Structures are given as structure tokens and as C-alpha cells.
């Protein structure tokens, strides 16, 4: 008798489950379909705006590259960059460089390439199927020459910088942003002054 009840229960479930699945499917009516299509159109529009912004930044010749990781020769070691204020800033009349570099056989970045220059050589800005290639060279304050090659992907916003000097080849991965001024609150080392009380405060306060 117990076996009969088990068999009947299984039979009832086999009949009820298709009916339940059908009722769920029937609830996905025209309203749900319209919402999904509208959401898909909105996602596509956002992607188009994002890609257009990348194109606008690169074609203007003014943007900042913000690195998040780096690899360096000769063994192509890699490391996440844990400082948020490193950047390469490309302006119409100036290049600003503040980037971590590796000197010698160190296992981590141990120096900073930190210089400004208004002299860029061989600037090229080319578009392709996936995005952009930007390249140029510049000299730092000691006369050392750096070659910069940016590969920028239009769809994802991913940017790769190969920075080559006489002593190093370093590849950085990150993204690009507009050349907006850094908020004072985000500056890790703002210019300071000593007030009447003897306390140090930011110069612009």
C-alpha cells in the first residue's frame, strides 16, 4: 500500500510540474518583454556614450593615464600599484609624469619617474578597429629619454602603457580619464604652511 502511495505521488507531481512551468511562462507577457527591450536599448546607449567619451578624450590629445598594475623586464615581474596618485598627464603644451619605476634588480617598484616637460617628440595619434594607439617620446630633467606607447581599447576603456627608457621597459595597465584638477582632499602631499598657532595646514586653506 505504501508503494502505491509513492507511485501516485510521483504521478501527481509529473502532471503538476508541467502545468506549473506553463503558468510561469504565461506570466512573461508583453509588458515584461517591453521592459527587457528597453533595458537592452539603455545598456547599448550607455556603451555607445562610453566609447564616444574614450574617442573624444584620445582624439583631443588631452587625457590622464591612471595605472593599476605594472610589469617590468627582464623577467616580466608584475605588481599591483597601491598608490592612487600615480599618473601620466598629457596636455596640449605639457607632459606630466609621476609614475612608479624599478631601479636595479628590485622585486618591487622602488623609485618614481617624476618630471614635467613641454617638449614632446614624434607625437602620433592613430585609430584602429579596437581603439587607439598613441605614441611619443620625451626627456626628463636629466636628459634621459622616455618612449611612451599607449594602447587604448574603445569598448572596455582598458589602457596599456609601454614606457621605455635606457634602463627599463615597464608595461602599465590602467585607464584614462579627463584632465580635471585633482581635488585637494585627494592630494597625498599638498603644499603646507605653518599657521600662527604653529600647526601645519594646507597652503590654500
Amino acid at each position: 500500500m505504501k508503494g502505491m502511495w509513492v507511485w501516485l505521488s510521483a504521478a501527481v507531481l509529473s502532471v503538476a510540474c508541467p502545468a506549473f512551468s506553463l503558468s510561469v511562462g504565461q506570466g512573461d507577457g508583453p509588458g515584461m518583454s517591453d521592459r527587457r527591450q528597453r533595458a537592452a536599448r539603455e545598456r547599448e546607449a550607455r556603451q555607445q556614450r562610453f566609447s564616444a567619451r574614450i574617442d573624444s578624450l584620445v582624439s583631443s590629445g588631452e587625457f590622464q593615464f591612471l595605472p593599476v598594475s605594472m610589469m617590468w623586464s627582464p623577467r616580466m615581474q608584475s605588481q599591483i600599484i597601491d598608490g592612487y596618485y600615480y599618473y601620466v598627464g598629457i596636455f596640449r603644451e605639457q607632459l606630466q609624469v609621476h609614475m612608479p619605476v624599478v631601479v636595479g634588480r628590485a622585486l618591487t617598484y622602488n623609485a618614481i619617474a617624476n618630471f614635467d616637460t613641454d617638449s614632446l617628440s614624434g607625437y602620433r595619434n592613430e585609430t584602429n578597429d579596437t581603439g587607439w594607439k598613441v605614441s611619443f617620446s620625451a626627456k626628463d630633467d636629466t636628459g634621459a629619454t622616455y618612449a611612451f606607447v599607449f594602447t587604448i581599447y574603445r569598448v572596455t576603456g582598458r589602457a596599456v602603457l609601454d614606457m621605455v627608457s635606457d634602463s627599463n621597459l615597464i608595461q602599465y595597465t590602467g585607464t584614462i580619464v579627463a584632465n580635471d584638477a585633482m581635488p585637494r582632499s585627494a592630494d597625498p602631499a599638498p603644499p603646507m604652511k605653518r599657521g600662527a598657532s604653529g600647526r601645519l595646514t594646507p597652503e590654500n586653506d
Side-chain angles (χ1 to χ4, degrees):
M1 188 66 177
K2 183 177 180 180
M4 179 66 72
W5 279 112
V6 171
W7 182 85
L8 286 173
S9 298
V12 169
L13 286 173
S14 66
V15 173
C17 287
F20 177 75
S21 299
L22 182 60
S23 66
V24 171
Q26 288 174 343
D28 191 3
M32 179 64 74
S33 178
D34 291 344
R35 285 195 294 272
R36 287 176 176 171
Q37 291 177 7
R38 185 166 60 251
R41 290 194 298 268
E42 291 173 353
R43 288 194 300 271
E44 182 178 358
R46 284 197 300 271
Q47 179 62 56
Q48 290 176 350
R49 291 195 300 270
F50 178 83
S51 298
R53 178 170 173 77
I54 294 295
D55 288 342
S56 177
L57 283 174
V58 182
S59 62
S60 72
E62 289 198 355
F63 60 87
Q64 287 186 44
F65 170 78
L66 305 178
V68 295
S69 65
M70 59 188 290
M71 298 177 64
W72 62 92
S73 61
R75 291 178 292 178
M76 297 310 289
Q77 293 173 268
S78 62
Q79 182 177 1
I80 298 298
I81 298 173
D82 52 11
Y84 60 86
Y85 57 96
Y86 297 117
Y87 67 96
V88 174
I90 303 173
F91 300 83
R92 291 188 183 277
E93 299 178 354
Q94 189 182 39
L95 173 71
Q96 297 181 5
V97 177
H98 188 76
M99 294 287 281
V101 296
V102 178
V103 176
R105 295 183 175 273
L107 299 178
T108 183
Y109 57 84
N110 57 355
I112 305 296
N114 184 21
F115 64 92
D116 297 354
T117 180
D118 56 4
S119 179
L120 275 65
S121 301
Y123 186 91
R124 299 183 65 181
N125 191 344
E126 302 173 330
T127 186
N128 53 47
D129 291 340
T130 59
W132 294 82
K133 183 83 73 175
V134 179
S135 59
F136 56 87
S137 62
K139 292 184 178 181
D140 67 9
D141 299 333
T142 68
T145 300
Y146 290 81
F148 298 81
V149 180
F150 293 89
T151 303
I152 301 167
Y153 297 89
R154 177 181 296 110
V155 173
T156 63
R158 181 172 180 261
V160 178
L161 166 61
D162 293 307
M163 192 170 78
V164 185
S165 67
D166 292 339
S167 58
N168 238 326
L169 164 59
I170 303 180
Q171 184 177 87
Y172 304 88
T173 300
T175 189
I176 63 171
V177 297
N179 273 333
D180 297 329
M182 177 182 288
R184 192 173 60 212
S185 60
D187 190 340
M192 305 292 283
K193 66 181 179 181
R194 193 172 297 279
S197 64
R199 296 179 59 185
L200 288 173
T201 58
E203 283 186 357
N204 295 326
D205 283 355

